Amino acid sequence: MFDRLQAVEDRYERLTELLSDPDIVNDSKKLREYSKEQSDIQETVDAYREYKNVKEQLADTREMLDSEKDPDMHEMVKEEFNLLKEQQEELEERLRILLIPKDPNDNKNVIMEIRGAAGGDEANIFAGDLFRMYSRYAETQGWKIDVMEATPNPMGGYKEVIFMINGQGAYSKFKFENGAHRVQRVPATESQGRIHTSTATVACLPEVEEVDVEIHEKDIRVDTFASSGAGGQSVNTTMSAVRMTHLPTGVVVSMQDERSQIKNREKAMKILRARVADMYLQEAQKEIDATRKSAVGSGDRSERIRTYNYPQNRVTDHRIGLTIQKLDQIVEGRLDEIIDTLILEEQASKLERLNDDL
């Protein structure tokens, strides 16, 4: 572990030299890249330096403890030694956690796609409930929500809704929502009071910048058409709607939310870039040994991750066996208890693997 920490500190010092190099200062791309890298390891380096300082003090105190003959002074030195020993152990544990590999996407904005699945109108209504739940949670974090595309369901909710949540660390909180969500409740249209089971799927994609994934203009086919409302009735006589197809992967994105074709192109490109990056990531993930899946699941869209049982006011996350009798609060956006537990489970799993490797 300490060899790794020393390597991190050496890299930090090298980055400090690079960031004062005139050639780097005049290269905005490298300057941004190196500044971010240094910022990412700053906390680890600070903790490691504090650890080395405490270790040094501990060695000095041990020498004093061995040589001190006065009983009162010996007791004082012993007390200081015990405090430093405790501090050293706490720093060691903190450094282990700081060495846990971080998800490079954690600080990014997130694009979320919610679709009604099995259950007809009730599934679409549930998709709307999930959108409202996530929106309320995002608001409590001070994050901005931008609806990019929505297909309302005549009976309520959405057949599909795509939206971006803009905020520092948004992806780190929402990435565990990938998968199939199941609801058990009596629909408003059910006259005999029978409980129905319906599902909606949620996809969470980190916003991808141009530098993160390379998409060549020649690989994109762009079709434009007039946007239309319910029943196909024309609501815009200009060719403002956009359909983008990424030819190498076959990923297709349609966007008609805005009246401006330029704005629709910008939104479609954001979604296209995120979906293409996600497809490449999913393909790479298949090559990883299935036995090393995270404790919070594979992130597969088809994996049933959570059940919302209205008659029992219960939410169960099947990946970690968490059951909470607070459904009424959770659907209002109070997701902290679930999200925090999932984050802790992921950290524990990564820490276990890290300890095996050390």
Side-chain angles (χ1 to χ4, degrees), residues 32-311:
R32 184 170 61 250
E33 179 187 330
Y34 291 151
S35 296
K36 183 181 183 306
E37 184 183 351
Q38 189 180 58
S39 175
D40 288 345
I41 62 175
Q42 178 81 54
E43 187 181 358
T44 304
V45 171
D46 289 345
Y48 180 49
R49 287 174 175 172
E50 185 182 353
Y51 171 83
K52 288 195 294 184
N53 182 46
V54 168
K55 191 178 178 183
E56 209 173 285
Q57 291 180 57
L58 199 57
D60 293 341
T61 308
R62 183 180 285 109
E63 284 183 17
M64 290 173 63
L65 195 61
D66 292 340
S67 61
E68 186 58 59
K69 303 301 182 186
D70 182 272
D72 292 338
M73 282 298 295
H74 188 276
E75 193 60 35
M76 287 177 62
V77 174
K78 184 180 179 182
E79 188 177 334
E80 183 181 353
F81 178 85
N82 290 336
L83 286 171
L84 286 167
K85 189 69 177 172
E86 187 179 325
Q87 193 175 351
Q88 182 190 37
E89 290 169 0
E90 288 173 357
L91 282 166
E92 281 183 6
E93 185 59 31
R94 183 181 167 201
L95 285 166
R96 285 183 184 276
I97 292 170
L98 286 169
L99 277 179
I100 294 173
K102 294 178 176 61
D103 186 334
N105 293 317
D106 274 353
N107 287 329
K108 293 184 178 180
N109 300 328
V110 61
I111 296 172
M112 299 190 73
E113 304 180 4
I114 305 175
R115 295 178 178 86
D121 285 332
E122 176 62 13
N124 295 330
I125 292 168
F126 179 48
D129 294 339
L130 290 175
F131 171 62
R132 178 175 173 272
M133 178 181 76
Y134 292 138
S135 299
R136 294 212 163 186
Y137 176 73
E139 287 167 6
T140 66
Q141 305 298 307
W143 296 334
K144 181 187 172 188
I145 300 156
D146 178 19
V147 176
M148 306 179 83
E149 182 78 351
T151 306
N153 179 54
M155 298 298 291
Y158 296 95
K159 294 178 181 177
E160 175 186 73
V161 58
I162 303 172
F163 57 103
M164 179 180 284
I165 298 175
N166 297 277
Q168 183 76 11
Y171 182 73
S172 71
K173 300 285 189 177
F174 283 104
K175 65 182 178 181
F176 303 109
E177 299 304 302
N178 260 332
H181 295 241
R182 180 175 69 171
V183 64
Q184 294 172 324
R185 64 184 175 190
V186 179
T189 54
E190 171 57 57
S191 58
Q192 297 182 31
R194 290 175 299 187
I195 295 173
H196 285 225
T197 297
S198 307
T199 58
T201 60
V202 177
C204 305
L205 312 175
E207 182 186 16
V208 179
E209 303 294 338
E210 287 183 45
V211 294
D212 296 329
V213 60
E214 193 174 13
I215 296 181
H216 299 289
E217 197 171 327
K218 63 181 178 62
D219 290 335
I220 301 175
R221 187 179 73 234
V222 180
D223 301 306
T224 58
F225 53 97
S227 60
S228 59
Q233 189 175 19
S234 178
V235 294
N236 189 347
T237 55
T238 62
M239 305 293 278
S240 62
V242 171
R243 182 185 300 107
M244 283 187 176
T245 304
H246 184 243
L247 300 174
T249 61
V251 172
V252 180
V253 175
S254 296
M255 182 62 58
Q256 59 177 358
D257 193 54
E258 302 283 350
R259 291 184 177 275
S260 160
Q261 186 186 123
I262 293 174
K263 289 184 178 179
N264 280 329
R265 276 176 177 261
E266 288 174 357
K267 286 188 173 184
M269 194 63 200
K270 279 181 183 286
I271 297 172
L272 183 74
R273 196 177 289 121
R275 286 186 184 172
V276 169
D278 184 63
M279 177 175 283
Y280 289 149
L281 180 64
Q282 294 292 333
E283 287 174 357
Q285 190 68 28
K286 289 175 185 176
E287 299 174 8
I288 297 175
D289 188 347
T291 60
R292 299 200 71 183
K293 284 181 181 178
S294 165
V296 295
S298 64
D300 192 324
R301 309 283 186 267
S302 63
E303 180 186 11
R304 189 191 72 192
I305 65 164
R306 197 175 296 149
T307 295
Y308 305 73
N309 186 298
Y310 276 75

Side-chain angles (χ1 to χ4, degrees), residues 328-354:
D328 54 337
Q329 297 177 34
I330 286 164
V331 294
E332 291 299 320
R334 297 176 192 171
L335 290 168
D336 287 311
E337 189 171 348
I338 293 178
I339 289 173
D340 290 347
T341 305
L342 288 164
I343 290 172
L344 286 172
E345 286 287 336
E346 182 191 49
Q347 286 183 341
S349 177
K350 286 183 175 180
L351 186 57
E352 185 178 343
R353 293 203 299 268
L354 178 65

